[in-house]
């Protein structure tokens, strides 16, 4: 299952999820990929990795959960089902 979230605001946002999917396991494990940088920054030949995604492991023990999305960021959650 993939969840994509964009926050274009200048402040962090709390996003609440309630998933009612038949057969969804009680515990979801996966990864979170975040792309966040100063909007004035861009990759160049001199600094090709200035703006790059970060990846971390995530898990939740419920089909209802809250996600805190950083300001001016894009996040992708990939859960293993």
């Amino acid at each position: 299952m993939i969840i994509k979230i964009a926050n274009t605001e200048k402040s962090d946002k709390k996003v609440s999820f309630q998933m009612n999917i038949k057969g969804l396991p009680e515990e979801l494990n996966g990864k979170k990929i975040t792309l966040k940088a100063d909007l004035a920054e861009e990759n160049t030949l001199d600094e090709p990795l200035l703006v790059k995604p970060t990846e971390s492991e995530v898990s939740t023990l419920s089909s209802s959960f809250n996600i805190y999305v950083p300001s001016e960021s894009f996040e992708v959650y990939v859960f293993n089902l």
Side-chain angles (χ1 to χ4, degrees), residues 41-56:
E41 293 178 343
E42 61 183 39
N43 291 343
T44 64
L45 292 175
D46 292 331
E47 293 185 88
L49 299 176
L50 182 62
V51 178
K52 64 180 182 178
T54 59
E55 193 172 302
S56 61

Side-chain angles (χ1 to χ4, degrees), residues 25-79:
E26 286 186 25
E27 181 177 4
L28 293 173
N29 296 300
K31 65 181 174 180
K32 174 177 74 169
I33 304 164
T34 303
L35 182 59
K36 178 173 175 42
D38 184 320
L39 295 180
E41 293 178 343
E42 61 183 39
N43 291 343
T44 64
L45 292 175
D46 292 331
E47 293 185 88
L49 299 176
L50 182 62
V51 178
K52 64 180 182 178
T54 59
E55 193 172 302
S56 61
E57 297 294 317
V58 294
S59 65
T60 179
L61 295 175
S62 171
S63 61
S64 299
F65 55 96
N66 296 315
I67 295 174
Y68 293 91
V69 185
S71 62
E72 299 175 336
S73 69
F74 181 74
E75 294 190 330
V76 178
Y77 289 81
V78 180
F79 290 106

